Amino acid sequence: MGKLEVISDFFDGRDIFITGGSGLIGKALIEKILYSCSGVRRIFIMMRLKSGQTIEDRLEYLKNSDVFQRIRTKSPDLLDKLEAIEGDVCEPNLANKLIAQQCLSDVSVIVHGAASVRFDDSLKKAININICGTKEILDFASTLIKLKCFLHISTTYCYPEHKFMEEKLYPPSADWKDILKVYENLDEDVLYTLEKKIIGLQPNTYTFTKNLSEHMVHEYRDKVPILIYRPSIVTPAVLEPFAGWNDNVNGPVGIMMATGCGLIRTLFTDHKVILDFNPIDVTVKAIIITIRRQGIRTREEIFASEVPIYNGASRDTNPVSYYELATLGKSCIPIVPFNYNVWPISFIASTWFLQFYLRMIFLQIAPALLIDFIIKLSGREPIVMKLQRRLYITQISLAFFMRQTFDFENKNYMSLLNDLKEGDVDNFSFTYYKDVDHILYFVMCILGARRHIMKQKDDTLPLARRRFAQMIFFRNTLRTILYAMVVYYAFNFFKNFTATMVT
């Protein structure tokens, strides 16, 4: 193994190629490399044409993202090291297109993060992006003679049949080569019909295709310096680039926002389930350390050893159950409420589907129809019922993971801290998460959602708090009236019943 140099020294003068650079992990990773490893030569970001925008337009939009605030303050010239490469993981023969790009010949680090992360994507789309797209990037990587590290971003949930998952490769759900043949020979409608049969015990197309892509990546281990990093649930930042940063509504953040706005009143989950999540800044720091650990080894050493696998899971570090999360939400939302709420935060967890479904009809669907009716009378487009449909689909797709606790071995992941030299600790240590106060963290998460997703300014908080207090008063008044009516009619019924029995 090579000399264990300071992390920033390893990145000096290097060209890095990133797919998924406009995603949550991709943005945070680019920002952290620029900020703490500013000697990097170039960072190539593969981007596809979208909505009539050129890749130059998309790159400029990316540079103006909130995530780069401290880069723009410290040294805006660092953003000039970002270069857009046109490409789409869904594109046939993408590898040949990338190989033809002479500017990529000096790339020594590849981070493959582009993926279909939606649980309800069709099998055709998930295979195309997560398997075919990954194969194209691997074929391109196999031609790079200077490549030191190919980091494949997977997920800790790609083997959900194992409630405890070690940092190793498990048997695949299917043969990825056979699945590619099925993908190439069957149209989307037929694939949709056979989807449940094809994915077997896997809960959705995302985990199924990420499972197979790990095995495909592994088969390139003799010609590409592979490592696999499996992040668990990624949540907003604790510290970097700033507390609470997040610009993605997937997963728990979307649930948190919908619950905080009063759109979700019932959850299809077990409140005892422990969540395994890691903040985005913790995840990114760990990824950078794994890249350096792999990069200082010779290709001979890499190809002669097993593929390193890291479960980026928090495990026993600051665990939170759904019950605790609900309690935290009720404590934090009144402090930093959203500007507009359907109802004050209040929800009930249920593991029984019928109970969940009935509560959803009476507590979410019925109010949504009423609110949409009022909105329509005002001449605006109704939207609440559309949101409820999306939230229902989201809850059903997440139910498999929200009703059981998963545990992940993280010895390799925690060993990354042993690689840090004295000069690295301040920039790359991620032990601070174990001491984070949950209430403070979730207040910052909600603030981050307000600022970076809902685009609500901090100076609107006083008004939002007044509105929230008024809504609580309205709710409590309504409850008091309803309870009083129940008591009144029950008393009258009992009184009349008693009078009848006497006569």
Side-chain angles (χ1 to χ4, degrees):
M1 182 179 286
K3 181 183 177 183
L4 202 62
E5 56 197 356
V6 174
I7 289 177
S8 58
D9 290 345
F10 170 77
F11 286 90
D12 285 351
R14 292 195 181 277
D15 284 355
I16 301 173
F17 179 78
I18 297 178
T19 70
S22 59
L24 181 66
I25 293 179
K27 284 181 183 176
L29 179 62
I30 292 167
E31 196 277 341
K32 181 60 178 173
I33 292 174
L34 287 177
Y35 189 81
S36 298
C37 306
S38 55
V40 68
R41 185 184 174 205
R42 292 178 292 185
I43 299 178
F44 296 103
I45 307 167
M46 191 174 78
M47 292 181 159
R48 58 190 173 91
L49 298 175
K50 186 178 180 181
S51 303
Q53 294 179 313
T54 65
I55 58 168
E56 289 77 17
D57 294 335
R58 293 200 64 200
L59 180 62
E60 197 59 35
Y61 182 81
L62 177 66
K63 289 179 179 180
N64 290 323
S65 299
D66 291 342
V67 70
F68 295 115
Q69 279 182 10
R70 63 177 182 171
I71 297 287
R72 289 192 290 267
T73 301
K74 174 190 174 183
S75 182
D77 291 345
L78 290 174
L79 293 172
D80 294 335
K81 296 188 177 189
L82 303 183
E83 296 189 24
I85 298 293
E86 184 182 339
D88 187 343
V89 288
C90 297
E91 189 177 343
N93 300 314
L94 173 64
N96 292 332
K97 182 177 179 178
L98 295 176
I99 292 168
Q101 298 270 1
Q102 289 299 314
C103 61
L104 299 178
S105 60
D106 291 330
V107 166
S108 59
V109 174
I110 291 180
V111 178
H112 179 48
S116 161
V117 297
R118 291 178 60 93
F119 288 179
D120 56 348
D121 269 342
S122 69
L123 183 58
K124 188 90 171 178
K125 181 178 179 180
I127 292 173
N128 191 13
I129 297 174
N130 294 343
I131 301 179
C132 298
T134 300
K135 187 176 185 304
E136 292 292 332
I137 301 299
L138 285 164
D139 288 338
F140 160 63
S142 65
T143 67
L144 298 174
I145 59 175
K146 295 183 180 180
L147 189 65
K148 301 287 288 181
C149 171
F150 181 102
L151 185 140
H152 173 67
I153 297 178
S154 185
T155 173
T156 50
Y157 295 95
C158 57
Y159 300 95
E161 65 272 25
H162 297 278
K163 299 303 176 284
F164 175 74
M165 189 171 77
E166 300 176 53
E167 291 171 304
K168 68 177 187 180
L169 211 61
Y170 288 85
S173 298
D175 188 313
W176 66 269
K177 294 176 183 175
D178 292 339
I179 295 300
L180 279 187
K181 290 177 183 176
V182 170
Y183 163 80
E184 291 166 355
N185 293 314
L186 298 179
D187 62 32
E188 189 163 0
D189 290 338
V190 176
L191 266 179
Y192 179 78
T193 304
L194 299 174
E195 184 176 298
K196 295 296 182 185
K197 184 177 180 63
I198 292 172
I199 68 176
L201 297 176
Q202 289 281 353
N204 53 62
T205 58
Y206 169 69
T207 58
F208 176 71
T209 51
K210 293 300 280 186
N211 174 297
L212 301 192
S213 65
E214 277 201 3
H215 287 269
M216 181 176 64
V217 167
H218 189 260
E219 290 195 17
Y220 278 76
R221 65 191 180 278
D222 294 329
K223 49 187 176 180
V224 177
I226 300 291
L227 73 86
I228 296 173
Y229 187 90
R230 299 168 176 159
S232 62
I233 301 169
V234 180
T235 56
V238 175
L239 292 176
E240 298 186 63
F242 41 84
W245 177 79
N246 176 69
D247 67 352
N248 192 304
V249 296
N250 291 330
V253 173
I255 296 291
M256 177 189 72
M257 290 172 59
T259 305
C261 291
L263 286 168
I264 288 182
R265 303 281 309 285
T266 181
L267 283 171
F268 192 28
T269 183
D270 184 343
H271 68 272
K272 297 177 183 177
V273 167
I274 303 296
L275 289 167
D276 191 296
F277 59 76
N278 252 356
I280 183 64
D281 48 340
V282 171
T283 299
V284 161
K285 288 178 181 181
I287 287 174
I288 290 174
I289 302 171
T290 62
I291 291 172
R292 193 279 301 270
R293 177 183 281 189
Q294 179 87 327
I296 61 176
R297 303 166 72 196
T298 65
R299 290 173 74 92
E300 290 73 21
E301 288 175 326
I302 293 170
F303 294 148
S305 59
E306 285 296 315
V307 172
I309 298 177
Y310 300 86
N311 288 341
S314 58
R315 207 175 182 193
D316 298 329
T317 304
N318 228 345
V320 181
S321 69
Y322 272 109
Y323 175 78
E324 292 168 319
L325 192 63
T327 304
L328 285 167
K330 290 174 182 178
S331 301
C332 298
I333 287 293
I335 300 171
V336 282
F338 297 109
N339 285 356
Y340 303 101
N341 301 281
V342 174
W343 198 252
I345 180 170
S346 173
F347 62 90
I348 305 169
S350 175
T351 56
W352 187 28
F353 179 76
L354 181 59
Q355 187 181 43
F356 158 76
Y357 192 71
L358 290 173
R359 283 173 175 166
M360 185 158 193
I361 289 174
F362 288 106
L363 298 178
Q364 294 181 209
I365 302 300
L369 291 171
L370 177 61
I371 293 170
D372 271 351
F373 177 72
I374 296 171
I375 291 174
K376 196 169 184 179
L377 288 179
S378 68
R380 291 174 292 169
E381 184 70 23
I383 60 167
V384 182
M385 195 59 207
K386 290 180 182 177
L387 290 173
Q388 288 294 348
R389 289 193 192 97
R390 291 182 187 176
L391 290 170
Y392 174 76
I393 293 171
T394 299
Q395 287 216 56
I396 295 303
S397 63
L398 289 173
F400 180 88
F401 306 98
M402 293 174 69
R403 292 184 294 157
Q404 51 192 324
T405 297
F406 293 85
D407 192 10
F408 310 103
E409 179 188 35
N410 64 356
K411 291 179 181 177
N412 292 345
Y413 165 76
M414 293 305 296
S415 74
L416 294 170
L417 294 168
N418 299 329
D419 289 8
L420 299 181
K421 303 186 82 172
E422 187 176 348
D424 290 325
V425 173
D426 288 344
N427 281 325
F428 297 103
S429 176
F430 48 84
T431 57
Y432 55 81
Y433 176 53
K434 72 179 188 299
D435 300 318
V436 167
D437 177 81
H438 282 155
I439 290 182
L440 178 60
Y441 175 60
F442 281 99
V443 165
M444 295 309 301
C445 288
I446 298 165
L447 269 177
R450 278 180 52 93
R451 293 166 178 165
H452 310 297
I453 298 176
M454 303 184 81
K455 305 300 181 184
Q456 296 175 0
K457 296 181 179 180
D458 289 354
D459 58 13
T460 63
L461 270 171
L463 177 60
R465 292 189 186 109
R466 287 198 298 273
R467 286 175 174 168
F468 190 80
Q470 291 167 357
M471 188 164 283
I472 289 177
F473 177 78
F474 173 76
R475 181 195 64 186
N476 293 342
T477 302
L478 186 62
R479 279 181 177 176
T480 302
I481 293 171
L482 289 174
Y483 292 154
M485 290 176 63
V486 169
V487 171
Y488 173 78
Y489 284 110
F491 176 77
N492 280 340
F493 175 80
F494 180 75
K495 181 180 177 182
N496 292 335
F497 178 76
T498 305
T500 302
M501 292 296 292
V502 170
T503 57

